[in-house]
Amino acid sequence: MPTLADAALHCGTLLDNTSRLDQAAREVPGGQDVAARMPFGRPVRRSAAAFAMFEEGREETQVDLKSALPHLLARAISWAEAEATRGAGVGRELSERERELARKVGVTHPERIRVVAVAALRSAAEQTGFLDPGMVGLTLGYSVFICHGHETVRLLSHEFRHVYQYEQAGSVAGFLPGYLLQIVERGYTSTTFEIDARAYERTDL
């Protein structure tokens, strides 16, 4: 049965293959440049031939991840629920101004949000196998994990919008399946959830 580590390995393999395709693009003479997009939305340019190779490899990896997702979901949800519970116990409450910010982006119960300062979120990416290891914010239910030095109004408003999304879904278990499926199908930055969260980012309380 596939594990969360297997999924992370698939993502790593896709990134490695993409690097090799970039090299292939430079070796194809006269290829037409086309815009492509790597996982997590990093733009690159490559020849048409190399782009076709990349698309084929990406589709195969997406199929692998999509078929593995049902087996991975139970573990991912269990981990996320445990982390959300832990965050609720150790995180700080919002200030009144932060609660108002949460209300402005749609949160119904901002008093339940807890913000947890962490050194890094790489372990979260490894546990789920689908998230960007370079992320600086992660929301699990009402628990918002923020890397040290990144607690800005813009990031808080973004993460608070994710809290709203969890509220709409009803629970961690109600939210994660659709979220992770979109990451597999579209890439992290192109999910409707991330697009929506970015649209609600603010720069002041």
Side-chain angles (χ1 to χ4, degrees), residues 45-161:
R45 297 187 70 82
R46 54 176 62 86
S47 72
F51 178 65
M53 293 169 59
F54 169 78
E55 286 295 296
E56 181 179 352
R58 185 179 67 174
E59 289 173 2
E60 290 177 358
T61 303
Q62 285 176 329
V63 170
D64 289 343
L65 285 173
K66 192 171 182 178
S67 64
L69 187 57
H71 302 291
L72 301 174
L73 271 177
R75 296 184 187 186
I77 290 171
S78 178
W79 170 83
E81 289 176 336
E83 286 297 292
T85 299
R86 182 180 71 83
V90 302
R92 68 168 180 83
E93 296 184 10
L94 301 186
S95 67
E96 186 51 48
R97 295 183 70 185
E98 288 172 333
R99 290 188 184 188
E100 182 58 29
L101 175 64
R103 293 187 190 99
K104 287 178 179 178
V105 301
V107 176
T108 303
H109 296 289
E111 72 281 358
R112 297 182 61 181
I113 296 176
R114 295 294 182 271
V115 176
V116 185
V118 296
L121 287 168
R122 182 172 296 275
S123 62
E126 293 172 350
Q127 286 293 325
T128 61
F130 299 96
L131 301 177
D132 186 348
M135 63 188 175
V136 294
L138 173 65
T139 296
L140 299 171
Y142 285 101
S143 294
V144 177
F145 299 86
I146 304 289
C147 289
H148 294 301
H150 294 277
E151 194 173 306
T152 63
V153 172
R154 181 176 180 178
L155 182 57
L156 285 174
S157 59
H158 179 105
E159 298 303 326
F160 292 166
R161 184 62 180 180

Side-chain angles (χ1 to χ4, degrees), residues 16 82 188 190 202:
D16 290 342
Y188 176 73
S190 297
R202 302 175 67 95

